Amino acid sequence: LDEDNSEVADPSLSDDRDGSGPGRRMPSICDPSTLLHRIVVLIFMCFLGFGSYFCYDNPAALQTQVIQDMQLNTSKFMQLYAWYSWPNVVLCFFGGFLLDRVFGIRLGTIIFSLFVCFGQVIFAAGALCNAFWLMELGRFVFGIGGESLAVAQNTYAVSWFKGKELNLVFGLQLSMARLGSTVNMNIMGWIYSRIAALVGSSGHTTLGITLMIGSATCIFSLICALILGYLDKRAERILNKEQGKTGEVIKLTDVKDFSLSLWLIFLICVGYYVAVFPFIGLGQVFFIEKFNFSPAQARAINSIVYIISAPASPILGFLVDRVGKNVIWVLCAVLTTLAAHLMLAFTFWNPWIAMCLLGLSYSLLACALWPMVAFVVPEHQLGTAYGFMQSIQNLGLALISIAAGSILDSRGYLFLEVFFSSCVCLALIAVVVLYFVDFLRGGELNLSASQRGKLKEVSAAETEKRVHVHQQKDEDLARLKPMSAFGLRNRYLSRLGAQLPDHYCTHLSSLAHRSVLK
């Protein structure tokens, strides 16, 4: 969809239905081949996941209110996060298949947006009706759409922004997602207090109304999905553009071929993320109880991880791409996260320091860890590897969310922080083992960007040379292959001057023999 393609297919001259008419030029903002139109598409693309990320952490933003109004303990409260993760243990393998083979990217995006919408509405209705089981059902339905919608968002990005713009687009999408989480953390408590003032008291009705207002962001994202589907369909008609595809090819039989390095990457992923997301889910009350913060201050500091991640992720991603040394970056991120949790657990230092460190390390790990999968897995197994990585991540989040709630109810925040620190230590051990395993195998994971580029060039040259050698061997073998008795007889007769039928050939004897048999 580069601007250069406008010379190949000029939509302004070929489509009356868009109001251009024959010989009239279409405005740039309506022309799918122009950059201005793609910027409009990018705006809808970024807001596509805004509602999902906004509502994912609604429980964290309203932790105190949910526990009090629904009369829960912390263990039951954390079930709201576990129910989100359970469907994604399986859907990580099949989400791409559904988008590519069953629904198509446009219909699939709308369907998953509807799941997000209905899930949030059911979640809010459960609070209105004072039925916690209905809230859990809502989170389960919400989870069915949430992760798959992110896959659809990335697929749209690849379809519209192939080439040099793609990394920037991914960075903008990630920033918008973090913006949704940040706005949720800082505004939902304020909305609850305003509704409570209007209603006259707090309670499950106030909570349900607040969550229903939050569902407006999901409806907004659904509208973006509908508009994006229309624009993509229109571009397909005008530019003869194909629907985007995830390109994921998942074969569960590939799991047996995974290397030790890949399993260590999986372990790092689980050990790290289970110490971040469940902590944020429980963080608001932690800062109120330990550091005597007001609810507004607690919400602000609990959202700092997302606030830092929004601008830092693109910058750190660019840095890691340029420098390489992915294992070293992952090691730094894990050590910094461990230091942040230890500070929060055993000191009364200003928690802004620890949370800022956590935000930076969270952004850095995402930029350095996930690309490493592509370094240790053949291209045809990438879909399976990433699907499995997301699957065990969601499994770990579901189990640890339940465990974290139980620990907090029985032991308190100190033991919970020790538990999170233990999870990070597990990730740290896996990073150290990965470093030595990679070192013994040549150190490819820890190469600099320039070294990796040279290695790719050498590998490409060797592959080309190997193909050429095989072709040469095949040609030599073809020359040395003895002729059949049929071919020898035909060559002998032709040298004697005998007239042979046209379909006889002394050089393609086997082919001639098959033609005679027919």
Side-chain angles (χ1 to χ4, degrees):
L1 289 172
D2 291 331
E3 292 183 18
D4 296 336
N5 292 341
S6 59
E7 298 178 3
V8 179
D10 189 352
S12 62
L13 301 177
S14 63
D15 200 325
D16 276 2
R17 287 170 291 184
D18 293 294
S20 56
R24 294 176 57 191
R25 183 151 189 88
M26 186 186 302
S28 295
I29 197 171
C30 301
D31 186 347
S33 64
T34 62
L35 179 61
L36 183 59
H37 183 82
R38 284 185 291 152
I39 290 174
V40 173
V41 172
L42 177 61
I43 292 172
F44 290 109
M45 207 179 290
C46 288
F47 281 110
L48 181 62
F50 182 87
S52 173
Y53 283 94
F54 180 93
C55 292
Y56 169 77
D57 268 323
N58 276 176
L62 298 169
Q63 179 187 351
T64 303
Q65 293 87 342
V66 172
I67 291 175
Q68 289 178 353
D69 295 345
M70 301 304 296
Q71 298 178 354
L72 308 174
N73 57 23
T74 311
S75 179
K76 293 288 288 182
F77 168 78
M78 289 303 289
Q79 289 279 2
L80 297 174
Y81 283 99
W83 279 110
Y84 174 90
S85 296
W86 287 126
N88 292 300
V89 175
V90 177
L91 279 176
C92 289
F93 290 107
F94 300 108
F97 172 79
L98 292 173
L99 286 171
D100 285 350
R101 304 291 181 86
V102 180
F103 302 131
I105 180 62
R106 292 188 287 266
L107 180 59
T109 302
I110 294 170
I111 289 173
F112 290 132
S113 296
L114 284 170
F115 269 106
V116 168
C117 258
F118 287 141
Q120 180 65 14
V121 170
I122 294 170
F123 180 54
L128 280 170
C129 301
N130 197 21
F132 186 69
W133 67 267
L134 193 58
M135 295 181 73
E136 292 179 309
L137 176 62
R139 291 293 286 184
F140 182 83
V141 174
F142 185 87
I144 291 174
E147 296 293 317
S148 297
L149 186 61
V151 175
Q153 188 178 27
N154 291 336
T155 305
Y156 265 129
V158 172
S159 177
W160 279 86
F161 295 93
K162 292 176 182 176
K164 61 183 179 181
E165 300 164 329
L166 192 58
N167 288 332
L168 175 62
V169 170
F170 279 147
L172 290 173
Q173 286 184 342
L174 180 61
S175 297
M176 185 57 66
R178 299 303 175 224
L179 178 63
S181 300
T182 303
V183 173
N184 159 71
M185 287 287 189
N186 290 280
I187 200 173
M188 288 301 285
W190 177 81
I191 293 175
Y192 180 92
S193 62
R194 298 296 295 176
I195 298 297
L198 290 174
V199 173
S201 64
S202 59
H204 66 86
T205 303
T206 301
L207 177 64
I209 295 172
T210 304
L211 293 173
M212 200 65 77
I213 292 173
S215 66
T217 60
C218 297
I219 297 172
F220 172 67
S221 292
L222 174 61
I223 293 171
C224 290
L226 293 168
I227 296 173
L228 196 56
Y230 165 75
L231 294 175
D232 193 65
K233 179 68 175 177
R234 179 174 175 270
E236 180 183 14
R237 171 168 47 82
I238 295 175
L239 300 179
N240 296 320
K241 166 184 162 310
E242 293 184 359
Q243 278 200 65
K245 293 189 176 181
T246 64
E248 293 181 0
V249 179
I250 293 184
K251 297 179 181 177
L252 296 181
T253 54
D254 290 340
V255 174
K256 61 180 174 38
D257 299 323
F258 287 169
S259 65
L260 176 60
S261 297
L262 185 59
W263 287 107
L264 290 169
I265 291 173
F266 292 163
L267 186 58
I268 296 167
C269 176
V270 175
Y272 185 87
Y273 282 109
V274 297
V276 175
F277 293 126
F279 170 75
I280 293 173
L282 296 168
Q284 183 179 335
V285 176
F286 169 71
F287 293 113
I288 293 173
E289 289 189 0
K290 179 170 182 177
F291 297 98
N292 296 319
F293 280 13
S294 67
Q297 290 175 320
R299 288 194 294 268
I301 193 172
N302 203 33
S303 65
I304 193 64
V305 173
Y306 296 137
I307 294 174
I308 291 176
S309 177
S313 293
I315 297 172
L316 292 174
F318 176 80
L319 178 65
V320 173
D321 283 343
R322 290 290 183 182
V323 177
K325 304 288 184 181
N326 289 60
V327 180
I328 298 298
W329 289 116
V330 171
L331 180 62
C332 292
V334 173
L335 285 172
T336 307
T337 301
L338 180 60
H341 275 293
L342 292 176
M343 287 169 60
L344 292 170
F346 298 109
T347 73
F348 284 88
W349 298 349
N350 191 326
W352 284 95
I353 300 172
M355 292 302 288
C356 288
L357 287 176
L358 186 60
L360 284 172
S361 59
Y362 166 72
S363 305
L364 180 59
L365 183 121
C367 296
L369 180 69
W370 290 85
M372 282 202 295
V373 175
F375 300 154
V376 298
V377 172
E379 187 173 352
H380 68 277
Q381 293 181 351
L382 274 178
T384 308
Y386 277 118
F388 198 82
M389 189 171 180
Q390 290 176 320
S391 177
I392 63 172
Q393 180 191 9
N394 278 284
L395 178 62
L397 287 173
L399 295 174
I400 295 301
S401 294
I402 298 171
S406 299
I407 291 171
L408 186 55
D409 284 333
S410 59
R411 297 286 186 173
Y413 275 104
L414 178 61
F415 277 87
L416 181 63
E417 274 299 300
V418 172
F419 174 69
F420 286 144
S421 299
S422 301
C423 293
V424 180
C425 286
L426 181 64
L428 178 62
I429 293 170
V431 176
V432 174
V433 175
L434 178 63
Y435 179 87
F436 286 106
V437 168
D438 180 61
F439 177 78
L440 294 174
R441 295 182 178 180
E444 184 177 352
L445 285 178
N446 216 28
L447 293 176
S448 66
S450 59
Q451 290 172 328
R452 187 167 286 117
K454 291 177 182 178
L455 187 64
K456 286 182 179 178
E457 291 176 3
V458 172
S459 178
E462 288 180 352
T463 302
E464 185 178 352
K465 183 178 178 181
R466 196 178 299 114
V467 170
H468 178 72
V469 168
H470 281 305
Q471 289 177 345
Q472 188 67 36
K473 286 182 178 179
D474 290 341
E475 292 175 2
D476 293 340
L477 289 173
R479 293 193 190 99
L480 295 174
K481 186 177 179 179
M483 296 182 67
S484 65
F486 180 79
L488 288 170
R489 180 168 62 85
N490 289 340
R491 175 173 289 187
Y492 176 72
L493 291 174
S494 66
R495 288 185 178 179
L496 291 177
Q499 185 67 31
L500 298 176
D502 294 337
H503 61 271
Y504 278 38
C505 177
T506 58
H507 299 289
L508 299 175
S509 56
S510 60
L511 202 59
H513 187 53
R514 282 195 293 271
S515 68
V516 171
L517 293 176
K518 289 179 182 177

